Amino acid sequence: MTERSVAQNAELALLLEVSSTPKPGNVDREREYDDLRFEHFMAGAVGARPGLERAAVGDAVGSAFEHAVEGMAGQSAGNTQFGALLVLTPLVAAAGDGDLTRGGVDSVVRGTTVADAASFYRAFEHVDVAVDDPPDDLESLDVRRGSDAIPELESRELTLFDVMESSADVDGVAAEWASEFDRVFSAGERLLDDSGPVADRASRAFFELLAAEPDTFVVTRQDRATAEEVQRRARAVLDGDEDATAFAEELVDRDVNPGTTADLVAGTLFVALERGLVV
């Protein structure tokens, strides 16, 4: 069996994430939205690979992420995997360095620079990303300003890690950056210990992550009460008290998308693949 490269495993992680089912409220191989389809995620994963390859060979994390987003955005639906790429890029960088561990990826993110932060902000110019309005005193650092915010980043000497750490209390992906990617590594270890088809394992990982904490994307797009409802019902699915497929269909109908959890599943799959998950 030919060994895959780090970037190939990252691309495969994105493909396996969207192929797993059910994932309530998310596009998967059985569910789509009218304007966001399974094919868009497949194309987004393929388009992102050149940027992921940059991360794997040691290019700056911010630049690699921006190129991955730019490539991802080359399909007709726009943003498919922005958050997943923000999870994957530092993991890929750590793996490329031969140190895909909590400490290894923590060193990667803490080593980011102001230039990395600037690249991150430019990435928002390629796609529309749902984010909360910043506090009034941080309006000049609103990520939706893109390149226009770079002078402020530079004047404050904010690195990409600084930017992520400042959002860790409201954004689940940023929280991973600030906590050694603990949820991703823990879920990756559980997925490796699981059995059965990988897509089924990924679906179970999704429910476990969703049941553990409110999804911050749901908080942003709806509200915390909805996110907490989704969390409780994910736990009910795991306990056998609610049907997973019916729950998945309902959330699609309600346009409630636990997208942050899906982002973490992409990272989970990558960790598992790099640690020997057989596909």
Side-chain angles (χ1 to χ4, degrees):
M1 184 172 61
T2 303
E3 185 176 352
R4 285 183 293 268
S5 70
V6 170
Q8 284 176 320
N9 271 339
E11 179 184 16
L12 180 57
L14 290 169
L15 294 169
L16 289 170
E17 188 283 315
V18 74
S19 299
S20 62
T21 186
K23 299 196 318 290
N26 283 266
V27 171
D28 60 27
R29 68 177 186 267
E30 295 181 2
R31 288 163 200 86
E32 300 179 326
Y33 290 93
D34 291 341
D35 58 349
L36 191 62
R37 301 190 297 274
F38 182 75
E39 66 202 54
H40 295 134
F41 283 79
M42 304 286 279
V46 172
R49 180 169 155 185
L52 295 167
E53 287 174 339
R54 289 180 178 230
V57 299
D59 282 11
V61 168
S63 177
F65 171 73
E66 182 187 357
H67 280 90
V69 169
E70 183 179 17
M72 172 212 72
Q75 35 69 36
S76 60
N79 179 22
T80 49
Q81 291 128 325
F82 189 98
L85 293 173
L86 192 54
V87 172
L88 280 172
T89 303
L91 292 170
V92 168
D97 287 339
D99 191 12
L100 184 59
T101 62
R102 288 169 170 81
V105 74
D106 192 52
S107 294
V108 167
V109 298
R110 289 181 183 274
T112 56
T113 65
V114 177
D116 290 314
S119 293
F120 171 70
Y121 271 70
R122 282 193 296 269
F124 283 84
E125 297 176 352
H126 298 296
V127 288
D128 291 327
V129 181
V131 295
D132 276 332
D133 293 330
D136 290 342
D137 61 330
L138 293 177
E139 187 175 351
S140 61
L141 288 172
D142 188 338
V143 290
R144 292 167 294 190
R145 298 185 64 217
S147 297
D148 290 341
I150 292 175
E152 184 71 12
L153 288 171
E154 293 173 340
S155 70
R156 298 193 187 198
E157 298 184 342
L158 294 174
T159 70
L160 183 49
F161 180 78
D162 293 332
V163 172
M164 292 295 103
E165 189 176 40
S166 70
S167 300
D169 59 339
V170 295
D171 181 87
V173 172
E176 289 298 285
W177 274 62
S179 63
E180 299 186 348
F181 287 71
D182 182 63
R183 297 185 74 199
V184 165
F185 278 104
S186 296
E189 291 156 7
R190 292 194 300 272
L191 192 147
L192 269 176
D193 290 338
D194 200 355
S195 59
V198 173
D200 292 348
R201 297 195 220 181
S203 176
R204 285 191 287 272
F206 179 91
F207 275 99
E208 289 170 357
L209 287 163
L210 187 59
E213 294 185 18
D215 186 282
T216 55
F217 192 62
V218 176
V219 175
T220 296
R221 291 185 74 234
Q222 276 86 27
D223 50 47
R224 177 158 290 275
T226 302
E228 291 174 349
E229 174 212 338
V230 169
Q231 178 189 9
R232 288 193 301 271
R233 294 179 65 186
R235 171 50 57 189
V237 169
L238 292 174
D239 292 341
D241 297 327
E242 182 158 359
D243 180 73
T245 300
F247 183 36
E249 297 288 354
E250 179 191 329
L251 289 198
V252 170
D253 290 342
R254 291 169 57 186
D255 192 24
V256 175
N257 173 13
T260 298
T261 304
D263 297 337
L264 301 187
V265 170
T268 294
L269 284 160
F270 175 72
V271 168
L273 288 165
E274 282 290 303
R275 293 187 172 181
L277 177 65
V278 176
V279 176

